[in-house]
Amino acid sequence: QKEVEQDPGPLSVPEGAIVSLNCTYSNSAFQYFMWYRQYSRKGPELLMYTYSSGNKEDGRFTAQVDKSSKYISLFIRDSQPSDSATYLCAMKNFGNEKLTFGTGTRLTIIP
Amino acid sequence: NAGVTQTPKFQVLKTGQSMTLQCAQDMNHNSMYWYRQDPGMGLRLIYYSASEGTTDKGEVPNGYNVSRLNKREFSLRLESAAPSQTSVYFCASSEDRIWWKTGTEAFFGQGTRLTVV
């Protein structure tokens, strides 16, 4: 079983819709949670960073972490065609260099 | 400001050939990393260099060697390429090795697409 599970999609939604992307994990030691956005043929770029449980909002993006359920989410409001990309969750525990990535969800926003 | 630059962008190798992937960053970062990205596997850490002069193995180091040439440059070498090393390779850098704790960003290059036939 993988430490981090992420539905690969693809996910297609109409412009303006709310998008929900999710990851589940099995390692209860994970404390640092990130979402990366990766455009086609590009490197990942950090979108959201959260420590421990709770919510974090940045513009149209909201990251949620539920450590009791080992579940993290990224919500995108008022989705735009420019949001079309692959979204990778990543997480880490304290004490080693390993950043464990999900496999990514490919998202397409339809104009 | 170029960020993290990787060369080459594409490469095809025959089994058994060797090559070096180059990475350079211009952000004065201390830590640098090499990842590979494979379908259905996500990104996996190959090697990292927490600071100039140090290198350490990551999750999948077998078949690779690295050199931290100076603070700017971190190269990845495949001594005898195998088809299992067909992948997209990403170099990344961060201000320090605890970037994940402080929430500062690790910046990725655009990747090198390597095919071993």
Side-chain angles (χ1 to χ4, degrees), chain B residues 1-6 23-29 32 72 91-93 107-110:
Chain B
N1 187 348
V4 178
T5 303
Q6 291 182 236
C23 175
Q25 52 91 9
D26 62 3
M27 295 173 282
N28 201 34
H29 284 169
M32 299 184 73
R72 287 188 66 246
C91 176
S93 73
F107 293 86
F108 284 80
Q110 293 202 355

Side-chain angles (χ1 to χ4, degrees), chain A residues 2 32 34 36 38 40-46 49 88 92-103, chain B residues 10 33 35 37 40-43 45 48 59 90 97 99-106 108-111 113:
Chain A
K2 292 179 182 177
Y32 306 92
M34 293 143 234
Y36 282 84
Q38 186 175 21
S40 181
R41 306 272 173 163
K42 301 289 186 183
E45 55 180 341
L46 183 65
Y49 165 88
L88 307 164
K92 195 177 188 321
N93 58 345
F94 184 84
N96 63 61
E97 299 299 326
K98 183 180 175 183
L99 182 62
T100 303
F101 283 85
T103 53
Chain B
F10 303 92
Y33 313 84
Y35 286 89
Q37 185 174 35
M41 297 294 292
L43 281 148
L45 182 64
Y48 68 96
E59 187 181 358
F90 288 100
R97 62 189 291 263
W99 62 271
W100 40 268
K101 187 177 183 183
T102 58
T104 55
E105 187 167 352
F108 284 80
Q110 293 202 355
R113 292 181 175 271

Side-chain angles (χ1 to χ4, degrees), chain B residues 56-82:
Chain B
D56 285 285
K57 295 179 180 178
E59 187 181 358
V60 288
N62 291 345
Y64 305 95
N65 285 300
V66 290
S67 295
R68 184 73 182 267
L69 304 168
N70 48 54
K71 192 171 184 179
R72 287 188 66 246
E73 299 173 288
F74 188 37
S75 63
L76 179 72
R77 182 160 178 85
L78 286 71
E79 291 290 352
S80 179

Side-chain angles (χ1 to χ4, degrees), chain A residues 20-40:
Chain A
S20 173
L21 303 167
N22 311 293
C23 288
T24 58
Y25 62 94
S26 57
N27 186 346
S28 58
F30 286 143
Q31 296 174 287
Y32 306 92
F33 303 92
M34 293 143 234
W35 285 95
Y36 282 84
R37 178 174 61 196
Q38 186 175 21
Y39 291 115
S40 181

